[in-house]
Amino acid sequence: MNGWLVAAATLLVLGVGPALWGAATGPVRRRVVAQNLATLLVCLVMLLLAQGYARPAYIDLGLVLSVLGPAGTLVYARLLADELAAVPPTARVARAMTTLSVAAPPLVLPLCVVTGPGRSLAKLLVIGALLMAGNTVSGRAMAGGAHLQRETHDG
Amino acid sequence: MSKKARLWLLAVGGIGVAVLLAFAVFDLPGFGGTSHPYGDRAVRSALARHTANAISSVNFDQRAFDTLGEESILFAAVLGTVVLLRETRDEHSEPPEPVHVDPPVRRYALITLPVTLLIGLYVIAHGQLSPGGGFQGGVIAATALHLLYIAVDYKALEHIRPAAAYAVADAAGEAAYVLLGTAGLLAGSAFLANFLPYGTLNTLSSGGTVPLLNAAIGVEVAGAIVVLLARFLDQALEIEGGGAGGPRRHDEEGRR
Amino acid sequence: MADLLIVLALTLVVAAATAAVFTRNPARQALVLALLGLALAVVFTVLQSPDVALSQLAVGSALTPLMLLLAVRKVRGRGRHDGRAREPR
């Protein structure tokens, strides 16, 4: 078991475990945030596993999750809109999501350095960019109700 | 049958299954052992056919007939859904109200749509080389189109989604698979036999018929998912009246 | 030690599946099911079957939630109001 696999195991225990708890309990808004966080973390776990098992082909798993994960979150944001608008995520949650979306790409960087130039590096960079954009946007979509309400109060 | 008798029947059945499972578990080879008789043969065969992804070689070459069965299951399931979720005589269709979507979310969806579509096509095209193939890629491509509903508007999705065209694509993909199988028959060997040159290992054109069968499955699955979701979306957003909606309250009262 | 990842991933699957069974509201259940799908994808990957993991991710991350939530919306019967009409629950 090498360092990459240890990192993946740590991320599973400290990240995905709590996210599962968050998605299984509490109000809807917390569950949606937890689910979004879980897709982000599992995407990183996939990349770490690809490096740990020395199988560049496994990067495709992360690539697919980096586009479908935010799409899934947008599905919840769209179809649970009324429940999210009734109890919108607090500003703290929205901030945490933005922080995470900015924090994710640097986690891809060490993988990029180890991979070296080539097709895998290009994929990793694309995944990093997609994760950043996707999580910023899904954070915004979840807080969408809050934004709108504030706008109407102001106006 | 009384409640007690039913419980007894359930207990007997449950115990029977448990016993069979226990016997099966004790007969399994150890977890993570080194002996893989089937795996070794499948991998050797896959390499002999110049297919880098052994799973694709099993699915679309060594056991291509099984995949035809799986594909037909999806085809039949979607056909059944289309029949069940059609607009009945006591229902009517109304266009859904437009929904306000945050502009950045809308922009993100419009930019990611082609990217997701491209990833789907990449997964289909590289099925013989790396994990993936027609099914996975087809689902990703079909999901890509629905970003338009998720983050833009249902109207926008309906513009690029003439459901009839996708139904034709669904059937064409299924037909292409059977025709490719028949081509193997005409080439002088067996149904779904690999009749094309195997090409160079680890290049896009390797694997003989594997990439072609993958493409057929990709078209079939993408068409099937789009048609399936079209029925779900129409039911949830446009079709009013009939069984759902209003009468629900009566149902609940009836049950009490 | 090498099996640690398999044990961890299987534990996550068991926890997520149990949570999915005990979540009775279908809309919330869809969220737990999404996590169950992710945990299954990790299991398949650590067992070195990325093809299956990719199928799981493709189907489980956006398609299944979309179908489930559309079905929930239809059953609750607030079709074209697109989430604005509210019923007492």
Side-chain angles (χ1 to χ4, degrees):
Chain A
M1 202 160 163
N2 55 34
W4 302 108
L5 296 183
V6 173
T10 316
L11 213 53
L12 278 182
V13 174
L14 298 183
V16 182
L20 174 62
W21 177 254
T25 57
V28 168
R29 64 155 191 225
R30 199 177 93 194
R31 292 171 190 244
V32 179
V33 172
Q35 187 271 341
N36 185 53
L37 179 61
T39 51
L40 172 66
L41 292 172
V42 170
C43 182
L44 294 174
V45 167
M46 293 300 182
L47 297 181
L48 288 170
L49 289 178
Q51 189 63 42
Y53 293 132
R55 301 249 180 195
Y58 288 17
I59 293 177
D60 287 359
L61 293 163
L63 182 65
V64 167
L65 199 52
S66 68
V67 283
L68 291 190
T73 307
L74 290 180
V75 167
Y76 294 111
R78 174 72 188 261
L79 285 163
L80 298 178
D82 55 341
E83 282 165 77
L84 284 173
V87 203
T90 50
R92 203 183 53 191
V93 172
R95 252 204 316 279
M97 289 308 306
T98 321
T99 318
L100 274 172
S101 60
V102 180
L107 286 173
V108 181
L109 281 180
L111 290 166
C112 290
V113 172
V114 176
T115 312
R119 196 203 281 193
S120 300
L121 178 68
K123 272 190 209 167
L124 283 173
L125 291 175
V126 169
I127 293 173
L130 283 170
L131 281 180
M132 184 145 66
N135 280 283
T136 315
V137 162
S138 49
R140 234 190 120 88
M142 278 184 278
H147 282 302
L148 291 181
Q149 274 177 357
R150 217 174 301 139
E151 275 164 27
T152 44
H153 280 305
D154 291 344
Chain B
M1 210 195 283
S2 71
K3 194 176 175 190
K4 204 173 169 189
R6 269 184 291 174
L7 275 176
W8 271 110
L9 195 62
L10 176 69
V12 172
I15 290 168
V17 172
V19 169
L20 287 177
L21 275 180
F23 272 118
V25 165
F26 285 123
D27 240 17
L28 280 176
F31 186 79
T34 48
S35 156
H36 305 288
Y38 187 77
D40 291 343
R41 284 173 179 80
V43 170
R44 210 180 307 138
S45 225
L47 289 178
R49 290 148 192 256
H50 298 197
T51 312
N53 183 9
I55 310 295
S56 271
S57 176
V58 171
N59 280 342
F60 297 104
D61 194 353
Q62 305 172 34
R63 287 277 178 273
F65 191 64
D66 298 16
T67 308
L68 176 62
E70 286 172 36
E71 192 193 19
S72 308
I73 291 173
L74 178 67
F75 189 76
V78 170
L79 194 65
T81 314
V82 168
V83 172
L84 280 176
L85 295 186
R86 71 194 185 282
E87 192 179 326
T88 53
R89 226 169 291 150
D90 55 343
E91 290 170 340
H92 59 280
S93 186
E94 281 175 52
E97 291 164 21
V99 177
H100 172 82
V101 176
D102 206 13
V105 176
R106 178 188 287 252
R107 238 172 293 143
Y108 166 81
L110 289 177
I111 293 170
T112 341
L113 194 157
V115 177
T116 313
L117 204 56
L118 193 66
I119 291 175
L121 294 178
Y122 158 80
V123 170
I124 297 177
H126 287 69
Q128 67 277 24
L129 305 177
S130 57
F135 178 75
Q136 293 94 331
V139 174
I140 296 167
T143 310
L145 297 184
H146 289 87
L147 277 170
L148 276 183
Y149 162 65
I150 296 167
V152 184
D153 199 28
Y154 189 44
K155 265 216 185 84
L157 174 63
E158 279 182 318
H159 271 302
I160 62 146
R161 192 210 61 190
Y166 286 90
V168 171
D170 183 11
E174 173 86 21
Y177 198 96
V178 176
L179 287 178
L180 277 167
T182 318
L185 205 59
L186 293 178
S189 40
F191 186 63
L192 282 169
N194 202 335
F195 62 92
L196 290 176
Y198 289 141
T200 319
L201 180 73
N202 227 1
T203 55
L204 261 186
S205 58
S206 63
T209 49
V210 172
L212 293 181
L213 290 175
N214 255 325
I217 295 270
V219 171
E220 199 255 332
V221 171
I225 303 284
V226 168
V227 170
L228 184 73
L229 280 175
R231 292 280 73 81
F232 268 77
L233 284 164
D234 282 351
Q235 278 288 342
L237 304 176
E238 288 196 339
I239 295 178
E240 298 266 312
R248 176 175 165 269
R249 199 139 293 168
H250 298 294
D251 282 351
E252 275 187 353
E253 276 163 13
R255 246 180 276 140
R256 273 184 207 130
Chain C
M1 195 58 194
D3 285 346
L4 175 71
L5 268 168
I6 299 179
V7 173
L8 281 178
L10 281 175
T11 314
L12 272 178
V13 167
V14 170
T18 314
V21 170
F22 284 109
T23 310
R24 304 307 299 178
N25 178 333
R28 293 169 185 211
Q29 201 176 33
L31 283 157
V32 187
L33 281 178
L35 258 92
L36 174 61
L38 289 173
L40 278 173
V42 175
V43 169
F44 295 141
T45 312
V46 296
L47 291 176
Q48 312 296 326
S49 44
D51 287 79
V52 190
L54 202 58
S55 298
Q56 174 59 51
L57 288 181
V59 172
S61 43
L63 182 63
T64 318
L66 182 57
M67 283 173 65
L68 275 173
L69 292 181
L70 285 173
V72 167
R73 164 166 296 194
K74 176 69 180 176
V75 171
R76 283 185 185 165
R78 44 183 173 178
R80 44 193 293 281
H81 308 294
D82 225 359
R84 234 158 290 164
R86 197 156 299 147
E87 305 173 53
R89 248 165 307 184

